[in-house]
Amino acid sequence: NNYLEVILVDDGSTDRSGKICDGYAEKYEYIKVVHKINGGVSTARNEGLKIATGTHVSFLDADDFIDENAYKNIIEVIQRYNPDCIDFGWKYINDCGEVTHNLHKVEKNIVLDKEIIKKDIIPPLINVAEGKDYFIYDFAVNKIYKKEIIDHYSICFDNNRRTWEDRTFVVEYLKYCNSFYSIDKCFYNYVSVPN
């Protein structure tokens, strides 16, 4: 797999997760594992970012999954348009297995410029705009980021935050983007898991 690098962060798990991760890393050369003491999602993502060598980064939380064809589609967008930020819709899967599709109203499948990012996309994320039409969801997981932008501006997740950690990262990243591209498909699957 030339296109993908998978970094599994074992954030101090107390079950067999760490061993399972190591098993995958032994089997597949594109999988790396980091074991660390439990520090929460922000610390886990930051550890992954430290060792990521790819040109682009995406995040996937434990319990969730991404559609099988997602990265193929995303790579095609990167090769064709090379936008600074790509986002896509997400599906919510509740305890009964019911699926809800979620797509925001920002224009899809077109490169949007810095002016639109500043005027329409960032304001709802920092609560200075009422209109929900341009609210792109403040999750880190339904977006693709350029590693060079993250590195150049030292963007990371706030290790002291246990809530809303995504929003600050997303806003900080978007501040430095000149182009934004939203795919009209719901690739990310957010699974509701009891406790």
Side-chain angles (χ1 to χ4, degrees):
N1 193 326
N2 300 337
Y3 279 117
L4 212 55
E5 168 186 62
V6 176
I7 299 167
L8 304 174
V9 182
D10 165 24
D11 187 34
S13 62
T14 53
D15 56 13
R16 292 188 56 251
S17 298
K19 291 253 185 297
I20 293 167
C21 290
D22 288 338
Y24 279 117
E26 282 166 27
K27 199 169 166 189
Y28 304 100
E29 57 189 30
Y30 62 90
I31 296 180
K32 297 175 184 169
V33 182
V34 179
H35 298 282
K36 60 185 278 304
I37 56 166
N38 182 262
V41 67
S42 293
T43 64
R45 290 173 180 169
N46 287 335
E47 285 302 311
L49 282 173
K50 276 183 203 166
I51 65 163
T53 61
T55 57
H56 293 75
V57 175
S58 77
F59 300 99
L60 193 61
D61 287 347
D63 303 324
D64 296 346
F65 64 98
I66 196 153
D67 288 356
E68 208 174 311
N69 63 340
Y71 290 119
K72 181 180 180 292
N73 280 264
I74 290 160
I75 287 165
E76 284 168 7
V77 170
I78 290 168
Q79 288 172 339
R80 189 164 177 195
Y81 302 106
N82 192 28
D84 289 343
C85 185
I86 298 173
D87 96 326
F88 38 86
W90 55 286
K91 297 185 282 280
Y92 176 73
I93 304 169
N94 73 11
D95 301 351
C96 304
E98 295 166 332
V99 180
T100 315
H101 289 70
N102 301 276
L103 276 173
H104 55 64
K105 297 191 176 96
V106 173
E107 212 175 340
K108 304 285 181 286
N109 307 324
I110 186 169
V111 179
L112 303 174
D113 64 13
K114 190 173 183 67
E115 207 48 45
I116 293 174
I117 296 169
K118 278 167 61 179
K119 185 172 70 75
D120 295 327
I121 293 173
I122 292 177
L125 289 171
I126 56 174
N127 298 328
V128 297
E130 283 301 302
K132 284 281 178 240
D133 282 0
Y134 285 98
F135 186 66
I136 60 161
Y137 302 114
D138 50 356
F139 311 135
V141 294
N142 71 324
K143 297 170 184 65
I144 305 291
Y145 311 87
K146 282 186 177 174
K147 185 68 163 48
E148 63 180 358
I149 293 175
I150 290 173
D151 291 345
H152 189 266
Y153 296 102
S154 304
I155 303 166
C156 64
F157 291 89
D158 183 345
N159 287 335
N160 300 313
R161 291 183 82 106
R162 289 289 181 136
T163 55
W164 301 103
E165 70 284 333
D166 287 26
R167 187 175 286 207
T168 51
F169 180 90
V170 169
V171 170
E172 190 63 21
Y173 182 84
L174 286 170
K175 274 169 37 182
Y176 303 109
C177 289
N178 292 311
S179 50
F180 181 89
Y181 188 100
S182 184
I183 301 174
D184 65 346
K185 293 184 176 70
C186 297
F187 290 142
Y188 194 87
N189 297 273
Y190 180 98
V191 184
S192 175
V193 177
N195 67 45

